[in-house]
Amino acid sequence: MSSFLVLDAAIGEDRKDWLELWSSWTDREVSAHPDYVRLFATPGDRAVCAAFRGVRGSILLPLVLRSLDREPWIGDLRGLFDATTPYGYSGPFGWGVTDTEVDTFWSQLRAWLLRERAVTLFARLSLFPEQLVRFDGEVADTAVNVVRRLDLDEETLWLEYEHKVRKNVNRARRSGLVVELDETGHRLDEFIAIYEATMRRREALSGYYFDNRFFASIMNDLRGQYVFFHVLTNGRVISTELVLVSEHYLYSFLGGTLEEAFPQRPNDLLKHEIICWGIATGKRALVLGGGYTAEDGIFRYKLSFAPTGRVMFRTGRIVIDRNAYEQLVATRSCWEQGQGRVWQVRDRYFPAYRA
C-alpha cells in the first residue's frame, strides 16, 4: 500500500520513521538524514521530510520550512513560509518507484505545502541524476561543480592531476607535513580557528560562519557521516577539512589553511590524502564543489585535481501560491522604497522576494 507522509525531525516517532526510510536506501546520502537537515533550521523553522512509500521503493525530499515572519519587510503578510532543501546537494531522492507514484508524490506534496501556507519550494539537486526522481517544476543550470572520480587506482589518479598538484604534494611531503585522520572531532577548536580565519581572509558572507552548537550537532548526531582531515607540522594543525560521508560519495564541506603555511602547499597534500582515503574505503567520487563565481581561482584550484570532472549543478524552483508570491515581491519592493533604497529583483534569483 503506497502512502504520502511528512515527517518532522522534532517529533520522536517521525524522526524514527524518517531514519528507517533513510536506512532502507542503499545510497544513504547524508543530506537526507534528519539530523543534517536540522542543522539548517533556525528558531521558527521546521526540518521535515516529504516522503512517499511506494510498492517497491520510496521518495525522500528533505526540506526546511522557513517562516517569513522574521523578515523586517513582511508587514501584514504573516504566517507564510517557504520551503528549501538544506545546504548542499539534495533530492527529491527516489528508488524503485513508478512514474505514477512520482506523479502522486508531487500532487500530494503541492497540496500539503499549500495547506501549510508555503509560497515556494527551492531545491538544490544532487549531482548524480540516477539518485533523483523527476522534479515537478523549473530546473535551472546554476553553476559548474567539480567531481573527482574515485573508481580507479591511485597511480592512474595521480597522473590525472595537473602537474602543479603533483609538484605541490611532493613539496609538502618533503617539508615533513603529515595528514591526520580525525573521526571524532578531537581537534575541533583548531579546526574552527583555522576555518574562521580563512573566512575572514576571503571576506565571506555571514552565512559561512557557524557557531559551536552547529559543529557539536554534527559530531554528536552524525557519527559515521563525517571525518576531519588535518595537516600537521610539528604537531600543529596548519590546514584542515571537514568531509561529509555518504554511502557512496564524499563531500568537501568546510575547511581552511593558515596563510603563513601557503609556501608548504599543505592543502594540496590534504586533498590528495582525502582522495586516497576515499579510494581505500570504496567510495565512488569526491565532490569538491564550485567557486564563489564562475571560473574563479577557487574553482580552477579544485579542477586541477579533476581536469575532466566538470558537472553541472542544477536547482529546482516551484511557486506554490502565485498570488502570495506576487504580494511578497510587491511588499518587499514597497518596504525597500520606504527605506530610501532602490530594490530590484536580481536576475533569476529565487525566490525573488528574498533577493
Side-chain angles (χ1 to χ4, degrees):
M1 188 72 172
S2 61
S3 61
F4 171 83
L5 57 161
V6 177
L7 304 170
D8 192 317
I11 299 173
E13 198 61 34
D14 280 9
R15 181 180 177 278
K16 178 183 175 183
D17 290 345
W18 185 343
L19 279 172
E20 286 179 357
L21 269 175
W22 180 82
S23 298
S24 72
W25 178 30
T26 57
D27 284 17
R28 287 184 283 278
E29 284 288 350
V30 63
S31 63
H33 191 289
D35 295 321
Y36 178 82
V37 182
R38 290 175 68 176
L39 291 172
F40 302 95
T42 59
D45 296 343
R46 293 173 61 195
V48 302
C49 183
F52 187 87
R53 286 193 179 102
V55 176
R56 294 185 175 85
S58 299
I59 298 172
L60 295 177
L61 178 55
L63 295 169
V64 177
L65 207 60
R66 303 181 298 182
S67 172
L68 287 161
D69 284 357
R70 68 172 69 95
E71 299 300 323
W73 48 265
I74 197 65
D76 295 330
L77 297 175
R78 298 272 167 184
L80 297 176
F81 295 80
D82 54 19
T84 181
T85 56
Y87 177 83
Y89 308 92
S90 195
F93 299 115
W95 62 97
V97 289
T98 65
D99 290 344
T100 299
E101 288 174 328
V102 173
D103 290 342
T104 301
F105 167 77
W106 282 114
S107 174
Q108 297 199 27
L109 174 59
R110 283 175 175 267
W112 179 81
L113 288 169
L114 201 57
R115 290 195 300 272
E116 295 296 314
R117 303 192 69 195
V119 181
T120 60
L121 186 155
F122 178 75
R124 302 167 181 86
L125 304 178
S126 169
L127 296 176
F128 307 104
E130 67 276 8
Q131 293 183 330
L132 298 170
V133 298
R134 174 182 61 84
F135 187 81
D136 191 38
E138 177 192 359
V139 176
D141 290 350
T142 302
V144 178
N145 277 208
V146 179
V147 177
R148 172 64 265 174
R149 284 181 51 214
L150 302 178
D151 54 346
L152 66 172
D153 61 85
E154 287 186 30
E155 182 178 355
T156 302
L157 181 142
W158 176 256
L159 294 175
E160 285 189 359
Y161 292 161
E162 288 186 5
H163 171 72
K164 65 179 181 181
V165 172
R166 298 194 297 270
K167 179 181 176 181
N168 289 339
V169 170
N170 287 332
R171 178 189 293 186
R173 286 171 169 165
R174 287 195 303 271
S175 298
L177 303 186
V178 295
V179 177
E180 177 184 276
L181 176 71
D182 173 8
E183 296 179 286
T184 64
H186 72 278
R187 291 184 181 268
L188 181 60
D189 290 344
E190 292 166 276
F191 169 87
I192 291 175
I194 293 175
Y195 173 72
E196 291 185 347
T198 301
M199 292 303 99
R200 288 192 296 271
R201 188 173 66 244
R202 293 177 178 172
E203 298 181 341
L205 299 174
S206 60
Y208 287 95
Y209 291 85
F210 305 96
D211 60 25
N212 285 7
R213 288 176 298 177
F214 177 89
F215 293 106
S217 294
I218 291 176
M219 291 187 297
N220 294 332
D221 303 328
L222 290 170
R223 295 184 185 278
Q225 306 300 139
Y226 71 88
V227 62
F228 290 89
F229 290 84
H230 312 295
V231 180
L232 308 179
T233 180
N234 298 319
R236 177 182 175 231
V237 179
I238 58 173
S239 187
T240 183
E241 187 162 320
L242 170 58
V243 176
L244 298 179
V245 180
S246 295
E247 190 67 22
H248 301 302
Y249 300 108
L250 303 176
Y251 297 86
S252 290
F253 189 49
L254 303 171
T257 300
L258 292 177
E259 189 171 12
E260 67 200 59
F262 286 175
Q264 295 172 281
R265 303 296 190 265
N267 199 252
D268 292 76
L269 177 62
L270 181 69
K271 285 285 193 291
H272 175 65
E273 290 297 330
I274 292 170
I275 289 167
C276 291
W277 184 81
I279 292 174
T281 54
K283 302 305 180 184
R284 296 174 182 171
L286 166 66
V287 175
L288 293 163
Y292 286 124
T293 58
E295 303 294 330
D296 64 9
I298 294 173
F299 176 83
R300 291 195 301 273
Y301 171 72
K302 293 175 180 179
L303 195 65
S304 67
F305 289 87
T308 62
R310 292 173 182 260
V311 177
M312 182 57 68
F313 169 53
R314 295 182 169 90
T315 54
R317 302 117 188 261
I318 301 175
V319 176
I320 304 296
D321 186 334
R322 176 61 63 178
N323 182 57
Y325 185 81
E326 292 175 354
Q327 287 185 62
L328 286 167
V329 172
T331 299
R332 172 75 187 275
S333 179
C334 184
W335 184 84
E336 294 286 355
Q337 187 176 10
Q339 306 301 305
R341 295 190 288 262
V342 177
W343 180 77
Q344 293 181 326
V345 176
R346 285 155 53 187
D347 184 42
R348 295 187 61 76
Y349 193 94
F350 188 86
Y353 52 79
R354 286 190 181 271

